[in-house]
Every structure is written in C-alpha cells, then in structure tokens.
Amino acid sequence: MNHKKGFTLVEVIAVIVILALLMVLVVPNISNSSKNAKEKTYKTKVSLIESSAVFYGQDNYGAIVSTGIKDEEGIVTKEVYVYELIPEYLTADNEEEGKMINDPRNPDEFLDDKVIIIKVNTKSKKVTATFTEE
C-alpha cells in the first residue's frame, strides 16, 4: 500500500472555497452589528441627556420660568447646552480632553455643544426636554 501524507489539490481548494463562503456570510453581519451597537449607544446617551435636562429643569424651575420664552399656552421654553449639565447632572466620558460627552457614532465629535430644549408647562408644572442635533 502506498499512503502519501498531505492533502490533494482538490481538498485544499474545497476548504478554501468553504472558508470564502463563510467569510462572505459572516463579515457583513459583524460590521452591521458594530454600527447597530454604536447607534444604540448614541440613543441611550441622548435619552440620558434628556433625563438629566428634565432634572435640571425641575431644580431650576423658577429661573427657567423667569428667563425663558413663554407662549400663550403657558409653556416656557429655554435652550440649554449639554455642557451646562456637567458635572452636576451628567458624568463626563473624558474630562481631561476638554470635551466631555463622546458621540459614539463618530469618535471625532462630541455632544457637548448640542442644544437641549427644555419646556416647562406653568399650569401643570411638568418639565420636558428634547435633544437637538444643532
């Protein structure tokens, strides 16, 4: 009997084809997962910023009502920058860089300069906050 060690060319090509097919199927899913995770992290940070702004609005109710813009329905609107909520209402990602809240979708951008619109209903005393991309 003549037993040779090693693989035939057909066996090697079959393995390479199988690995290539697996790569074609797996790599796009991995990159989409990363993008989805960054988007979810961003939405979570925005939700946290809005919640912090509501606490800020409740704590500074009188100042907002006296300095904000009031409409005919009794709703007072005031714009606040995200950096105004640090450190009392938000924890910074990296205080040493000067910018505090990283944008997970783009590592070169920060959310500090973004505006939050705080609305106070003077009748119900309800405070809401909306994050803007401005």
Side-chain angles (χ1 to χ4, degrees):
M1 272 196 179
N2 190 4
H3 288 280
K4 292 183 179 179
K5 292 184 179 180
F7 300 102
T8 66
L9 182 60
V10 172
E11 291 171 330
V12 171
I13 290 174
V15 169
I16 291 172
V17 167
I18 290 170
L19 289 174
L21 285 172
L22 286 173
M23 292 295 288
V24 166
L25 296 173
V26 171
V27 170
N29 289 336
I30 292 172
S31 64
N32 284 341
S33 295
S34 175
K35 184 178 179 182
N36 290 343
K38 288 178 181 180
E39 191 62 34
K40 285 181 182 179
T41 302
Y42 171 77
K43 288 179 181 179
T44 300
K45 281 190 175 190
V46 167
S47 178
L48 178 65
I49 289 169
E50 288 176 340
S51 296
S52 299
V54 168
F55 289 129
Y56 172 88
Q58 291 169 343
D59 289 349
N60 297 287
Y61 180 86
I64 291 173
V65 170
S66 64
T67 61
I69 300 168
K70 188 173 186 178
D71 67 10
E72 63 278 349
E73 296 174 7
I75 296 176
V76 178
T77 303
K78 182 168 176 73
E79 292 184 352
V80 177
Y81 288 97
V82 172
Y83 64 80
E84 294 179 54
L85 303 175
I86 302 169
E88 192 171 345
Y89 299 94
L90 281 174
T91 303
D93 292 333
N94 187 355
E95 295 181 21
E96 294 176 14
E97 289 184 10
K99 294 288 186 176
M100 309 290 184
I101 311 285
N102 296 329
D103 186 339
R105 301 170 304 170
N106 184 350
D108 297 331
E109 300 230 357
F110 297 89
L111 303 177
D112 300 36
D113 303 345
K114 305 298 183 193
V115 174
I116 306 162
I117 299 171
I118 298 176
K119 291 187 178 184
V120 176
N121 186 326
T122 55
K123 295 175 185 172
S124 67
K125 301 203 185 309
K126 181 178 178 184
V127 178
T128 59
T130 305
F131 181 81
T132 64
E133 286 288 332
E134 296 176 7

